[in-house]
Amino acid sequence: MNLFRSSPWPRRGIVGLAKASAVTFVLALSACGGGDDGIGVDGAMPVQDARSARTSVAIEPVGPSCVTGGAAISAGVDSNNNAVLDAAEVTSVSYVCNGANGIAGAVGAAGVPGAAGPAGAAGALGLAGVSTLVHMQSEPSGAQCAVGGTKITAGHDTNGNATLDASEVSATSYVCGGAPGAAGATGATGAPGAAGANGLDSLTSVNAELAGVNCTTGGVRVVSGVDSNRDNVLQLSEVTSTQYVCTGAQGAQGSPGAAGATGAAGLSVLVATVSEAVGANCSYGGTRITSGQDANANNVLDGGEVAATSYVCNGAGVTWIGVSSASVQASRNTGYAAQSASRVTVTLPASPTVADIVRVTGMGSGGWQIGQNAGQSILTQAISTALATTPAGINWTVRDSTRFWISIASSDDGSMLVAADYGGQLYTSTDSGVTWTARDSNRNWQAVASSADGSKLLAAPYSGQLYTSTDSGVTWTARDSNRGWQSVASSADGSKLVAAAYGGQLYTSPDSGASWIARESVRSWLSVASSADGSKLVAVAINEQVYTSTDTGVNWTPRDTARNWYGVASSADGGKLVAVDSGGQVYTSTDSGITWTARESGRSWRSVASSADGSKLFAGVAGGRLYTSVGGTTTPGTTGWLRGGQYDAVELQFVGNGLFIPLSFTSGSVAGIVGN
């Protein structure tokens, strides 16, 4: 029997495991007989020392094995034949974990009363009603109580402020003190009462609040509530109070302080440049640069004042070499014409001098690849901007504040962004994530999507309606019905949409959301993405594989490995993909999902977005920060490379610190110049 553990996200109702004492099941194993020749049935050797196989079932508390509790099933051989499966005899443990509560069925007609049955399990907590408040205060001697007493008022807390206001009092009574009586004899001490059940803890969570509708100048958001499920985490469903502690407005500028005393005059720094002849300092001539302080203040850099000297040398003329072999070690100031039908690898000079030049051009159908030595890299930002071929995801920059970032989307140029804070607001940026503006209201936001120009946005809260905006998030309109949406995506023009339901199917719409078609199978879907034309789709499910489609969602192909996938994004052409593994790394693909490369570090990644060319990536961490990545250089060292096809050419110059920069390049192949 196969046993599985399951922990779907987000959490909903959990079916409790009925309390029961551990039950041990015993399976007797006996040898099947043959003759006295020692050979059993089907030629199997007989069991020489038959011992009982036993199993044991015990309650499994909530923990890493079963996040909602369940049963632990231990199995093994009773080696000491004591009819008990001892701990040392256990060879395997499997778990049967509690599932989610089912939907309550309709109430049936009342039947004929039967005999009273045993007491049933306690029912689920009902919805909180209006609280009834009781207030007691001392009542002085007077008309109500001759010798004083207590005044008791009661009523419903209709305004929910936890105070019994005068307008809410519906009943008043008095408990009056009697005349003092004679002291009675001391009674016997009563037996201790039974211990009461443990109460529920109150939890509080504090997060930063950006400047917006709740705090004009920013501040902190404080949410609190009762830990109903006793998991020591304040779930959104448990929040009963949200308050804001806002930063005060900036005070008026103080008066200028008194001017300080005039400091002593400093020395000027002078720089002089002169031509450097061909020689030991510059093989092909160049410029000598000297600098130092003008100690005698004559505005001339005298020989005795020179503190530093450097040279900017001329490069040599480039000599071209035709290459048909598989690889060649490049020399300084040399060009290489790749003439083979197979790819030619040209490795950069191991010890180049500043201003050295290397040129490579693809004449043969195999194209070329530029290899690197340890510590070397090639600046590719200009090439990626022009050709959109260099993968991003190598370097990341932290943005905004710590929030529960759960979804993010980008315009095609990466400048217009929209991000969702689960339990908070939506946030938009018009400068590639440098600054952010809070939008709409606090909701359980789950997913966002953007058109190519960033003007048309789509957002979905869990178990809520869809919300659309046509003005880059300034105003929003509620759409459709309440559903368990987890992710949404849009084509560039907003006409073709795809949505994912957790524990349900994928859905596609060919008409801007007017009608929807169920696709693929029921899975724990968490994120979807679309190419600009809506034909290439990618979707991920938790603890499943990545799934891709090239026919607008009609057919799907599983890719890569089953991971804790939480978010996925696509370039406009569907060729460059990025996905995040919560608790793992960021993964990128440059071949529409066929192969994947791990990037960045292990974090609680929840969402990711991509610019149209795939060169700018954005990712969010649950309870953490936002990260951005822009392709800039090839991977440093021997694993990095720059690659081109037939009719592609590039000219590189060494600028020091292991870095080569492109002086010029041209692309005549379909794939273009690609860097890694």
Side-chain angles (χ1 to χ4, degrees), residues 508-528:
T508 60
S509 173
D511 50 16
S512 300
S515 61
W516 294 85
I517 303 170
R519 304 290 192 184
E520 234 282 318
S521 303
V522 173
R523 304 183 191 277
S524 299
W525 297 110
L526 285 184
S527 184
V528 292

Side-chain angles (χ1 to χ4, degrees), residues 27-213:
L27 303 176
L29 298 178
S30 60
C32 296
D36 292 335
D37 55 2
I39 303 302
V41 177
D42 297 329
M45 295 299 294
V47 176
Q48 300 299 323
D49 182 11
R51 291 169 289 181
S52 296
R54 295 187 179 278
T55 59
S56 174
V57 181
I59 297 298
E60 176 67 18
V62 174
S65 298
C66 284
V67 296
T68 56
I73 303 175
S74 303
V77 177
D78 185 13
S79 303
N80 57 13
N81 291 316
N82 66 345
V84 175
L85 182 61
D86 300 319
E89 297 170 339
V90 173
T91 59
S92 66
V93 179
S94 301
Y95 299 90
V96 178
C97 300
N98 295 334
N101 289 334
I103 300 174
V107 177
V112 177
L125 294 176
L127 297 175
V130 178
S131 300
T132 298
L133 302 179
V134 176
H135 180 69
M136 295 187 294
Q137 67 186 61
S138 297
E139 179 70 17
S141 300
Q144 302 297 338
C145 289
V147 293
T150 300
K151 179 181 180 180
I152 304 172
T153 54
H156 290 148
D157 185 18
T158 55
N159 60 10
N161 67 349
T163 300
L164 184 61
D165 301 321
S167 60
E168 297 171 335
V169 175
S170 59
T172 304
S173 60
Y174 300 87
V175 178
C176 298
T186 302
T189 301
N198 292 332
L200 298 174
D201 293 329
S202 293
L203 301 177
T204 301
S205 176
V206 180
N207 294 289
E209 179 70 16
L210 282 183
V213 294

Side-chain angles (χ1 to χ4, degrees), residues 478-620:
R479 306 288 190 186
D480 197 64
S481 304
N482 294 345
R483 304 183 190 277
W485 302 115
Q486 284 290 328
S487 181
V488 292
S490 170
S491 60
D493 61 2
S495 64
K496 295 179 181 178
L497 307 178
V498 58
Y502 183 84
Q505 292 177 262
L506 298 174
Y507 294 82
T508 60
S509 173
D511 50 16
S512 300
S515 61
W516 294 85
I517 303 170
R519 304 290 192 184
E520 234 282 318
S521 303
V522 173
R523 304 183 191 277
S524 299
W525 297 110
L526 285 184
S527 184
V528 292
S530 171
S531 61
D533 62 3
S535 64
K536 293 183 178 179
L537 305 179
V538 58
V540 295
I542 189 170
N543 294 324
E544 298 261 9
Q545 294 174 262
V546 178
Y547 291 80
T548 60
S549 173
T550 57
D551 53 10
T552 320
V554 177
N555 298 292
W556 295 82
T557 302
R559 305 289 191 184
D560 196 66
T561 305
R563 305 183 194 275
N564 199 27
W565 299 113
Y566 258 78
V568 67
S570 171
S571 60
D573 62 1
K576 296 185 179 69
L577 306 179
V578 57
V580 290
D581 172 14
S582 181
Q585 294 177 262
V586 178
Y587 289 80
T588 59
S589 172
T590 58
D591 53 12
S592 299
I594 297 175
T595 59
W596 294 82
T597 302
R599 306 287 190 185
E600 236 283 321
S601 303
R603 307 182 192 275
S604 297
W605 301 107
R606 281 295 188 275
S607 58
V608 68
S610 171
S611 60
D613 63 1
S615 67
K616 297 179 181 178
L617 304 181
F618 312 89

Side-chain angles (χ1 to χ4, degrees), residues 191-276:
N198 292 332
L200 298 174
D201 293 329
S202 293
L203 301 177
T204 301
S205 176
V206 180
N207 294 289
E209 179 70 16
L210 282 183
V213 294
N214 297 316
C215 283
T216 304
T217 56
V220 296
R221 181 172 73 251
V222 183
V223 293
S224 59
V226 176
D227 187 16
S228 303
N229 59 6
R230 301 177 187 272
D231 64 349
N232 292 321
V233 177
L234 184 61
Q235 307 290 345
L236 288 172
S237 60
E238 297 170 339
V239 173
T240 58
S241 173
T242 301
Q243 296 179 322
Y244 299 89
V245 179
C246 300
T247 303
Q250 183 175 351
Q253 182 173 346
S255 302
T262 303
L267 297 175
S268 299
V269 175
L270 302 179
V271 178
T273 59
V274 296
S275 297
E276 179 70 15

